[in-house]
Amino acid sequence: MGVDVVISTLGAPALATQTQLADASSAAGVKLFVPSEFGGKMDGNMGHPVFAIKNTLHQHLRDKGLPFTIFCTGLFPDFVLRS
């Protein structure tokens, strides 16, 4: 397909569908998957259902061998970066 990177920008209601997006990306030969990871670092945090969904996706990506990068933007970067 000629796609090197897939950047997911899905919101919280659709996060569970990222597994299918990752599978399709892998099947298409994508070299890097960037999951929707807005906010702070949450690896291993299971205190909220959104964290569990994201951690499950991270493990799925590892199991598939699909390289991925997580960008943690921190809490409310739009307030800090406003001019």
Side-chain angles (χ1 to χ4, degrees), residues 44-58:
N45 185 337
M46 296 296 220
H48 190 280
V50 170
F51 300 153
I53 291 169
K54 289 183 177 191
N55 288 325
T56 298
L57 173 67
H58 299 169

Side-chain angles (χ1 to χ4, degrees), residues 3-80:
V3 176
D4 291 329
V5 179
V6 169
I7 300 173
S8 174
T9 59
L10 297 173
L15 286 180
T17 65
Q18 283 192 113
T19 301
Q20 290 114 345
L21 182 59
D23 290 344
S25 298
S26 180
V30 167
K31 297 174 186 158
L32 180 68
F33 186 80
V34 179
S36 182
E37 288 286 335
F38 303 105
K41 186 173 178 5
M42 62 185 76
D43 219 17
N45 185 337
M46 296 296 220
H48 190 280
V50 170
F51 300 153
I53 291 169
K54 289 183 177 191
N55 288 325
T56 298
L57 173 67
H58 299 169
Q59 189 58 52
H60 182 76
L61 293 169
R62 286 184 200 101
D63 293 345
K64 284 200 86 61
L66 180 59
F68 65 99
T69 298
I70 296 172
F71 296 97
C72 296
T73 60
L75 189 60
F76 305 116
D78 53 331
F79 292 116
V80 176

